[in-house]
Amino acid sequence: MSNNEIIKSKIDQYFDQTVAWRNYLHENPEVSDKEYQTAKYLKKECEKLGLIVEDAANTTGFTALLDTGRPGKTLGIRTDIDALPIHESEYNKKFKKSVVSKNEGVSHACGHDSHMATLLTTAKILIDLKDEIDGKIYFIFEEGEETGGGIEAMVEHLRDKGLDACYGNHQASFLEVGEIRVIKGPSHAGCAGVEFDVIGKGGHGSRPDKCINPLTATANIVTALTTAWVNQLDVNEKVTFGLGSINGGAASNVIPDKCNVKGTLRFFDDKAGEDALEVLKEVTKATAKAHKCEVEFSDYTRIVAYPTINDPDLADEVIKSLNDIYPGSYRDGEPTFGSESFFGYSRLCPSVYTKFGVRDEENGITAGAHTPEFDLNPEGIKYAVGLQVKFATDFLGGAND
């Protein structure tokens, strides 16, 4: 059999195990930065495969090493391991789901369970193909992708590992099963968190003149920011401000002491994002002062993630592998304004991040990520595994060399 036929045969051979891994992880989700049992389970499975497990300091994240014993390049392949604080619906858009979270209020509504199952299966197959490759593979299990809580520790953990490239992927409910998107250049936007309190002086609603109303100050801040976005930012760079929450007051006749504001900025250029965050702070403080209010910014008001930018040459290699093993599956596309902690790996080496399709309209699997109805067709995992294995064997000196 050809290398491609061997890979596909092994995907089918191990698919029951793949689904079992995914189902267990789906039923037992843990929120970001608290993936204690998830990490314990994953480490046990990696050790069963004979991989060398090493913790990333001060996180639940870890790496599992496959060393061929022969000199060559070093490849990192990454998965995220956290879930979301979202109560899962038992139903997708049409039918009852095959598997549902057992942890109340927590669910893998972003498909990270499928990413972990993909990586475990990839590791299992690459162990079988160990004689066909050279060098080393670090299977990377990263804590807290949703919060960005684990990326800095993981980057530091990998700093001396000599990575030549890093590969990652993510499910996509907008792609059909069998479709895989690979973008050259910017793939995901950077993100800056925004949270601040506008602090005034509360009192009875009948005497607003004796109060300092943080609500009216906040309303003017939002308006001022809209104007600042037009007048103070580089028009050649895309930067968005998504206002997510304004909370202040609870009664019609009571003026509150403070008002809380939350949101995010998204950007594709590091400096543009940093400049926009400074503009937001300056305009917010100046406008609040004009209304005799003060502003307190939370620790969340910072750059949470920089843009994820795929190395064009590495992306070309991935596309070549994809077209070889799954002709007709490749899809190009526009970068998303969503953000990803995967940006951190580009500090170490060329990196590439792909999307694999899990959409299945016939079976009601159409809901977007971060929703209670989110579901996925496990058949999509086969293509994710196939591309990971194919790219790894090509990159590390596969059977076709």
Side-chain angles (χ1 to χ4, degrees):
M1 289 193 293
S2 69
N3 187 41
N4 290 340
E5 291 171 332
I6 291 171
I7 292 171
K8 292 176 182 178
S9 174
K10 287 189 174 294
I11 290 170
D12 290 336
Q13 178 185 345
Y14 296 141
F15 190 58
D16 286 347
Q17 176 64 76
T18 303
V19 173
W21 277 326
R22 185 259 166 170
N23 288 353
Y24 174 85
L25 292 161
H26 189 89
E27 289 179 337
N28 297 278
E30 294 176 293
V31 294
S32 304
D33 312 315
K34 295 181 179 180
E35 307 97 318
Y36 307 117
Q37 295 305 312
T38 301
K40 183 178 179 180
Y41 173 81
L42 291 168
K43 288 177 188 177
K44 184 178 179 181
E45 294 303 307
C46 287
E47 287 167 349
K48 285 181 184 177
L49 295 174
L51 301 172
I52 302 170
V53 172
E54 186 178 358
D55 292 333
N58 302 315
T59 79
T60 58
F62 67 95
T63 56
L65 171 63
L66 170 60
D67 188 346
T68 67
R70 293 179 294 277
K73 291 184 284 190
T74 300
L75 174 65
I77 309 179
R78 173 266 203 176
T79 182
D80 32 26
I81 66 174
D82 54 333
L84 289 157
I86 294 175
H87 176 78
E88 183 173 17
S89 169
E90 292 186 13
Y91 294 84
N92 59 34
K93 291 295 186 179
K94 287 184 179 180
F95 304 114
K96 192 170 183 177
K97 297 177 184 178
S98 61
V99 61
V100 179
S101 170
K102 294 179 179 178
N103 292 346
E104 183 68 26
V106 183
S107 65
H108 274 296
C110 202
H112 295 186
D113 53 337
S114 70
H115 307 164
M116 290 181 275
T118 295
L119 192 55
L120 288 172
T121 308
T122 296
K124 190 172 179 65
I125 294 173
L126 285 170
I127 289 168
D128 289 349
L129 301 178
K130 183 178 177 180
D131 292 341
E132 307 298 325
I133 57 178
D134 298 324
K136 300 177 181 178
I137 304 175
Y138 282 94
F139 301 102
I140 302 165
F141 297 82
E142 181 194 323
E143 173 188 289
E145 182 276 326
E146 297 290 351
T147 62
I151 183 60
E152 295 297 335
M154 185 57 74
V155 169
E156 191 60 33
H157 172 72
L158 291 167
R159 194 171 298 281
D160 63 350
K161 306 299 185 187
L163 293 184
D164 293 292
C166 191
Y167 179 99
N169 66 10
H170 200 293
Q171 64 74 29
S173 57
F174 58 82
L175 293 174
E176 299 292 335
V177 169
E179 296 180 327
I180 295 182
R181 174 176 288 183
V182 187
I183 297 175
K184 301 178 188 179
S187 171
H188 289 69
C191 175
V194 175
E195 182 177 4
F196 57 85
D197 289 324
V198 181
I199 302 168
K201 178 184 176 183
H204 200 288
S206 65
R207 292 300 304 270
D209 58 306
K210 292 186 175 294
C211 303
I212 300 175
N213 196 329
L215 301 179
T216 53
T218 298
N220 279 274
I221 288 169
V222 173
T223 301
L225 286 173
T226 302
T227 304
W229 242 237
V230 175
N231 294 331
Q232 297 189 42
L233 298 183
D234 186 345
V235 296
N236 295 304
E237 299 293 345
K238 296 178 182 178
V239 181
T240 66
F241 173 41
L243 183 63
S245 171
I246 298 178
N247 283 299
S252 61
N253 61 346
V254 178
I255 293 172
D257 289 316
K258 65 181 180 180
C259 181
N260 178 265
V261 178
K262 294 183 178 73
T264 59
L265 309 181
R266 308 288 172 153
F267 53 93
F268 288 98
D269 177 81
D270 292 0
K271 187 177 185 302
E274 292 165 354
D275 289 348
L277 186 58
E278 287 307 307
V279 167
L280 180 140
K281 289 180 179 179
E282 291 172 4
V283 170
T284 297
K285 287 186 288 187
T287 307
K289 185 177 181 180
H291 290 268
K292 298 183 178 181
C293 288
E294 296 180 353
V295 175
E296 290 184 356
F297 292 98
S298 79
D299 292 340
Y300 181 61
T301 307
R302 58 183 172 83
I303 302 295
V304 177
Y306 282 96
T308 296
I309 301 176
N310 287 340
D311 181 83
D313 292 336
L314 194 63
D316 277 335
E317 291 187 47
V318 172
I319 292 169
K320 181 179 178 182
S321 295
L322 175 58
N323 287 335
D324 188 14
I325 191 168
Y326 297 124
S329 288
Y330 167 62
R331 298 291 183 273
D332 195 358
E334 295 296 320
T336 174
F337 277 86
S339 300
E340 240 296 337
S341 63
F342 191 80
F343 78 90
Y345 300 101
S346 64
R347 297 177 183 172
L348 302 172
C349 59
S351 61
V352 66
Y353 196 65
T354 70
K355 292 285 184 74
F356 64 93
V358 295
R359 184 180 181 87
D360 179 0
E361 189 166 355
E362 182 179 349
N363 290 302
I365 301 173
T366 58
H370 292 222
T371 65
E373 297 81 17
F374 175 79
D375 197 5
L376 59 82
N377 186 332
E379 289 289 324
I381 299 175
K382 290 184 175 181
Y383 293 87
V385 172
L387 178 55
Q388 278 191 347
V389 174
K390 173 62 176 173
F391 171 67
T393 57
D394 288 347
F395 185 78
L396 297 174
N400 291 329
D401 286 1

